Every structure is written in C-alpha cells, then in structure tokens.
Amino acid sequence: MAVQFGGLVSGLNTNQMISQLVAIERQPINKLNTTKRTVESDIRRVGEMSTRLKALESAAKELGTLEGFMSFKGSSTNEEAVRVSADSGATESSFDVGVSRLAKPARMRSDAFAEGHTFSATTMNVEVFGEDDVELNIPDGASLTEVRDMIRASSAEVDATIINTPDGAHLSITSKKTGHTPGGDPASALTVSGLNMTSVQTAQNALMTVDGVSVESSSNTVSTAVEGVTFELLGEAEGVRAGVAPDREAILEKVKTFVEAYNSTVDAIRSQSNGGNRRRFEADLSEAVTQTAIDGPFVNLRSVGISSGATGKLELDETEFFDRLEENSAALAEVFSSQGGVAAKLTAQVQRYTGGSGILSGIEDSLKSQSDTIDSQIERKERSIETFESRLRRQFSTLEQLLSSLNDQSASFASLVPPSYQSNR
C-alpha cells in the first residue's frame, strides 16, 4: 500500500480527516456486521437444535419396538458348565439343561520327518466341512517349516503346528471349527490330501438337552436351541437350571438415554432467539411425551415413573420404574413401543422439524438467505466507501495543489515589489 502524506501545504491533517469521514460512512456496515453475527448465531443454534432432535429421535427409535426396548440376561446354576446369554428376541423363561458331551475339532498328523527333510513338488488340498477346498502348491525343496507357514497363510480354516518327538518332526493340522455336519460323517470334518496324514482326533459334536429335548451342535456355542438364547457349553453336567429375565439395568440405561436426550433438546429449544418458535417447539415436544395415552395396565409415562417436572423437563423415578418393570415388563414396554406409544409420536413430531422439508430446514434456509443478503449489502457499501474515500483524497489533493499554486503566485508577486516599498509599509 502506498504511503500517503496529506496537508503538506495547508497544514491540515487531511489523512485523519479522511479516516474520520470514512468511519462515519462505515457505521451502517458495522450495524450490518452486528446483525450478521446475530443471524450466524441463530443458524448455529438451529443446527444444534437439529442435532439434539436427531439424537432424541435415535433414542426414541431404539425404544420403538419391543425387541429394541427389552434387554435380557441369562443365568445358570452352574457357570462352570453352562453359561447363558440372551438377546432382544428372547422371552422371560427358565430351562433344565444337561450337557453329556462337548464338541471337539478334527485333528490330523503326518508321519515323522527327519531333520532337514525337504519335499518334492506336490499339490496339497485342505478342506474343512462347510468351507471351500483350499489348494496349496508345495514347491520342490520346501522345508517342513515352509509348508507349515504356507498352510497358516492360506484361507484354510485350520491351525498348523510342528510337533517334535524323538522319532522326528510331525506336521499337525487341527480344524478351527469344532464338530462336524450334524447327522454327517465325522471323518468328513477335515480332509487333507497330498501328504501322508493320519487322523489323531475325530471330530465330535456337542450333545445337550433343554427341558428333556436332545440338541446336537457342531459348536459349543449353541444359539439355535431356544430363540434369542445362547448356551455356551464349558463342561459336562446334568441338572443345570438356566434362566432368562429382563436386564433391568440395561433397560434403565436405554430409558435414561432417552430422558437425557429429551432434556438436552429442551435446552437447545430454549436457546433459540425467536420467542414464538421457542414456545411452539417446546409445546409440541411436551405434547408428544406427556399427552400420549395407550390402553393397558400402564397408559403413559407418568404411570411408569417418568414425569414432566416444574422445569418442563422429564424426571425419572428409578424406584418406581423398576417396580413397574418387575410388575409387567411387556406392558411397560408398550408405553414406548406400541403403535400409538411415546416413541412413535415423538419420532413423528421430530421428523416434522428435521425432515428434508421440515420446519427447521425452512428456518435455516431463511436465516442463510438473510446472511447472504447482508453479505451483498456489505459488499455494495464497501465498494461505495472505497469510491467515497478515493473522491475525498482527490479533492484534498486538488486543494493542496491549489494552495501550493496560490503560495507560488504570492511569492512571485512579492518578489516584484521593491524592497524600499516593503520597508515603508
């Protein structure tokens, strides 16, 4: 930027005068910038509100189905033999369980190889039941260690190890999958060709009973016997009592997440600068959760220990909630998950605001349009001020030139007057 000197002839501080005049002209821009900051703050608040609403919708949707609302946990009277877990597809129940046999994997072992043994080029095939056959091309001169590493690096579902014995080194191959195809031949669980391998452990399926019904499984993790229930078999045992019951703490955590999401959304609503919008949004949200009523033992949130406090936020009475859960867990779930329940109504209300053509989208678009308009106004005024400042500098420059010319004329005139005349004056 060029350095400008003003008032060299007139003695006026023209730069300061121009700056002050430009500052006066900039006052409308300053006001526009203040307005723009307010609009940008409103845009951020609307964005934050949208984020909170989507979190609330997510929490509501998780409670919006019976499977989503319920969480179950398993129990066993003999955890050393049978462990029980349950997912949302389970129902509250109990079983008599017995385990007569655990599943075991197939294992094969090679003949002994002398130290330093190398293989001639050959093709080796490894197949585990239920998996694709894997072909390995053993190169000429490969060592036992190299063959083992090739098997490990392949996609075959097996473990390969070398067992050293006094008579030499054996290649041991064990299936990563226990058991075999139920009703099938155990010998087909693992087949290895291309090397002289012998079966040293036949695949074995697990055998158990659930309420007297026999169950055979290729795995010691049995998830097909009872819907939604998984039995982990660890040892042989009889007379084990297994149970499935609602997981109170897990359900409570889901409901807490919902309550916290609702209250956080209320905070975001109350941060909006438009008072009319604040009141309307909060009233809509409150109506969705407090005015919902269904048929059944529990009709609304208040009946299960969740109320709207004096602050307008939800308050959870954990003791009452647990009592209602113990009393009738399915009926409590219906308050949230039924077609006309809290989750459905709240989700519909939230989508009115956050959908592609929702209310918040319209408000945000309007605010962004305001911001763009202000930017255009500022840009026009900035160009006008640049023109104004340039005009002032030209005018003051012209003034300086005129004064300089007048001074020159005065000096020239003074030089024409005789000194005696000047002294007589």
XYZ file of all heavy atoms in Angstrom, residues 108-111 113 117-126 136 138 142-144 146-148 151 160 170-173 191-199:
288
model
N -5.382 -83.930 12.471
C -4.616 -84.905 11.704
C -3.132 -84.640 11.904
O -2.723 -83.496 12.162
C -4.987 -84.838 10.213
C -6.470 -85.047 9.946
S -6.881 -85.171 8.198
C -6.369 -86.850 7.872
N -2.341 -85.723 11.761
C -0.901 -85.596 11.993
C -0.147 -86.395 10.939
O -0.586 -87.481 10.537
C -0.537 -86.082 13.388
C 0.909 -85.825 13.794
C 1.151 -86.324 15.206
N 0.255 -85.671 16.151
C -0.082 -86.173 17.333
N 0.392 -87.365 17.698
N -0.886 -85.526 18.130
N 0.981 -85.843 10.516
C 1.795 -86.511 9.489
C 2.717 -87.545 10.110
O 2.867 -87.620 11.347
C 2.629 -85.470 8.744
O 3.672 -84.986 9.596
N 3.348 -88.337 9.230
C 4.426 -89.195 9.686
C 5.581 -88.320 10.164
O 5.619 -87.111 9.905
C 4.917 -90.105 8.551
C 3.851 -91.116 8.134
O 2.960 -91.397 8.971
O 3.904 -91.586 6.977
N 9.214 -86.677 10.154
C 10.199 -86.277 9.150
C 11.534 -86.033 9.838
O 11.592 -85.433 10.920
C 9.768 -84.996 8.439
C 8.504 -85.160 7.614
C 7.295 -84.695 8.108
C 8.538 -85.790 6.384
C 6.139 -84.834 7.373
C 7.379 -85.934 5.644
C 6.157 -85.462 6.131
N 14.557 -82.399 6.360
C 13.781 -83.007 5.267
C 13.197 -81.926 4.357
O 12.750 -80.865 4.816
C 12.640 -83.855 5.847
C 11.730 -84.417 4.791
N 12.026 -85.570 4.101
C 10.535 -83.958 4.285
C 11.057 -85.817 3.242
N 10.150 -84.855 3.336
N 13.226 -82.174 3.062
C 12.591 -81.271 2.090
C 11.611 -82.068 1.253
O 11.742 -83.289 1.100
C 13.625 -80.605 1.176
O 14.356 -81.630 0.474
C 14.568 -79.721 1.969
N 10.627 -81.373 0.705
C 9.557 -82.019 -0.059
C 9.798 -81.870 -1.549
O 10.368 -80.877 -2.012
C 8.211 -81.382 0.292
C 7.762 -81.652 1.698
C 8.167 -80.822 2.741
C 6.947 -82.739 1.994
C 7.763 -81.063 4.041
C 6.540 -82.988 3.290
C 6.948 -82.151 4.314
N 9.341 -82.871 -2.288
C 9.278 -82.744 -3.741
C 8.047 -81.930 -4.084
O 7.099 -81.834 -3.290
C 9.193 -84.137 -4.390
O 10.328 -84.906 -4.073
N 8.034 -81.337 -5.268
C 6.886 -80.519 -5.685
C 5.607 -81.362 -5.654
O 5.592 -82.490 -6.169
C 7.119 -79.950 -7.080
N 4.581 -80.837 -5.033
C 3.319 -81.568 -4.928
C 2.174 -80.589 -4.692
O 2.399 -79.402 -4.424
C 3.368 -82.600 -3.773
O 2.174 -83.392 -3.805
C 3.455 -81.897 -2.413
N 0.970 -81.092 -4.818
C -0.228 -80.297 -4.548
C -0.892 -80.824 -3.294
O -1.110 -82.042 -3.163
C -1.217 -80.350 -5.729
O -0.591 -79.810 -6.887
C -2.466 -79.527 -5.413
N -1.224 -79.920 -2.386
C -1.845 -80.289 -1.114
C -3.234 -79.660 -1.049
O -3.422 -78.491 -1.387
C -0.973 -79.778 0.045
C -1.493 -80.112 1.417
S -0.360 -79.442 2.691
C -1.149 -80.046 4.176
N -4.237 -80.413 -0.657
C -5.600 -79.915 -0.517
C -6.065 -80.054 0.925
O -5.885 -81.107 1.547
C -6.550 -80.675 -1.435
C -6.304 -80.385 -2.898
O -5.411 -80.967 -3.516
N -7.084 -79.463 -3.456
N -6.654 -78.955 1.440
C -7.178 -78.943 2.813
C -8.639 -78.509 2.747
O -8.952 -77.458 2.169
C -6.389 -77.973 3.714
C -6.952 -78.001 5.135
C -4.902 -78.328 3.718
N -3.017 -75.965 -2.160
C -1.692 -75.394 -1.908
C -0.676 -76.079 -2.798
O -0.595 -77.323 -2.824
C -1.288 -75.566 -0.440
C -2.203 -74.924 0.612
C -1.784 -75.362 2.008
C -2.138 -73.416 0.494
N 2.951 -76.989 -3.209
C 4.201 -77.071 -2.454
C 5.347 -77.100 -3.462
O 5.422 -77.999 -4.311
C 4.238 -78.340 -1.581
C 2.964 -78.449 -0.718
C 5.492 -78.353 -0.719
C 2.759 -77.315 0.224
N 10.841 -77.483 -0.598
C 10.270 -76.782 0.551
C 10.524 -77.564 1.829
O 10.457 -78.803 1.858
C 8.765 -76.595 0.353
N 10.832 -76.828 2.903
C 11.050 -77.465 4.203
C 9.728 -77.650 4.925
O 8.688 -77.109 4.519
C 11.987 -76.604 5.052
O 11.327 -75.380 5.398
N 9.749 -78.425 6.004
C 8.538 -78.642 6.790
C 8.036 -77.318 7.370
O 6.826 -77.063 7.400
C 8.826 -79.643 7.916
C 7.621 -80.043 8.778
C 6.529 -80.695 7.935
C 8.067 -80.994 9.909
N 8.418 -74.373 6.044
C 7.820 -73.599 4.960
C 6.428 -74.108 4.609
O 5.523 -73.317 4.313
C 8.738 -73.637 3.729
C 10.012 -72.815 3.919
C 11.006 -73.017 2.796
O 10.999 -74.106 2.182
O 11.788 -72.079 2.528
N 6.234 -75.420 4.651
C 4.901 -75.985 4.396
C 3.934 -75.537 5.484
O 2.791 -75.140 5.201
C 4.972 -77.525 4.322
C 3.556 -78.122 4.276
C 5.775 -77.967 3.116
N 4.394 -75.614 6.727
C 3.541 -75.137 7.828
C 3.127 -73.687 7.629
O 1.945 -73.336 7.783
C 4.286 -75.283 9.163
C 3.502 -74.769 10.373
C 4.425 -74.398 11.513
N 5.316 -73.293 11.144
C 6.349 -72.890 11.893
N 6.629 -73.502 13.016
N 7.099 -71.862 11.488
N 0.466 -73.204 4.972
C -0.872 -73.574 5.453
C -1.443 -72.448 6.312
O -2.606 -72.062 6.162
C -0.812 -74.893 6.247
C -0.363 -76.046 5.348
C -2.176 -75.202 6.879
C -0.088 -77.345 6.095
N -1.931 -74.976 11.951
C -0.849 -75.893 11.600
C 0.311 -75.671 12.554
O 0.727 -74.530 12.783
C -0.412 -75.672 10.157
N 6.674 -83.891 13.354
C 5.361 -84.183 12.778
C 4.656 -82.867 12.449
O 4.707 -81.914 13.235
C 4.492 -84.971 13.757
C 5.066 -86.290 14.150
N 4.681 -87.479 13.575
C 6.008 -86.613 15.092
C 5.341 -88.478 14.139
N 6.157 -87.975 15.065
N 3.958 -82.822 11.319
C 3.095 -81.702 10.986
C 1.697 -82.017 11.529
O 1.102 -83.043 11.178
C 3.032 -81.495 9.473
C 2.104 -80.375 8.988
C 2.597 -79.018 9.466
C 1.978 -80.386 7.468
N 1.188 -81.153 12.403
C -0.139 -81.348 12.995
C -1.089 -80.291 12.438
O -0.787 -79.094 12.464
C -0.070 -81.238 14.519
O -1.371 -81.375 15.090
N -2.236 -80.727 11.925
C -3.246 -79.816 11.367
C -4.548 -80.024 12.120
O -5.061 -81.157 12.194
C -3.456 -80.069 9.859
C -2.157 -79.816 9.099
C -4.580 -79.171 9.324
C -2.261 -80.083 7.610
N -10.385 -83.004 5.854
C -9.672 -83.887 4.925
C -8.437 -83.164 4.419
O -8.482 -81.978 4.097
C -10.557 -84.303 3.734
O -11.023 -83.132 3.067
C -11.747 -85.127 4.202
N -7.321 -83.902 4.380
C -6.054 -83.357 3.896
C -5.452 -84.366 2.929
O -5.268 -85.544 3.280
C -5.069 -83.096 5.051
C -3.750 -82.528 4.514
C -5.675 -82.157 6.079
N -5.177 -83.923 1.713
C -4.552 -84.803 0.725
C -3.239 -84.183 0.264
O -3.032 -82.985 0.377
C -5.487 -85.010 -0.475
O -5.730 -83.771 -1.133
N -2.353 -85.049 -0.268
C -1.069 -84.563 -0.766
C 0.070 -84.863 0.181
O 1.239 -84.837 -0.221
N -0.242 -85.101 1.427
C 0.744 -85.526 2.424
C 0.173 -86.748 3.140
O -1.048 -86.920 3.220
C 1.039 -84.414 3.445
C 1.757 -83.161 2.946
C 1.931 -82.174 4.097
C 3.121 -83.512 2.357
N 1.029 -87.560 3.660
C 0.571 -88.761 4.362
C 0.133 -88.372 5.769
O 0.934 -88.285 6.687
C 1.707 -89.792 4.413
C 1.222 -91.127 4.941
O 0.017 -91.408 4.941
N 2.156 -91.960 5.392
N -1.192 -88.098 5.926
C -1.737 -87.622 7.196
C -2.651 -88.696 7.801
O -3.363 -89.396 7.083
C -2.527 -86.341 6.995
C -1.768 -85.198 6.322
S -0.512 -84.457 7.376
C -1.500 -83.654 8.616
N -2.619 -88.784 9.120
C -3.443 -89.744 9.842
C -4.316 -89.011 10.858
O -3.855 -88.070 11.510
C -2.562 -90.767 10.595
O -1.703 -91.414 9.655
C -3.419 -91.804 11.313
N -5.565 -89.423 10.994
C -6.459 -88.802 11.972
C -6.030 -89.199 13.379
O -5.859 -90.390 13.679
C -7.904 -89.253 11.728
O -8.747 -88.778 12.754
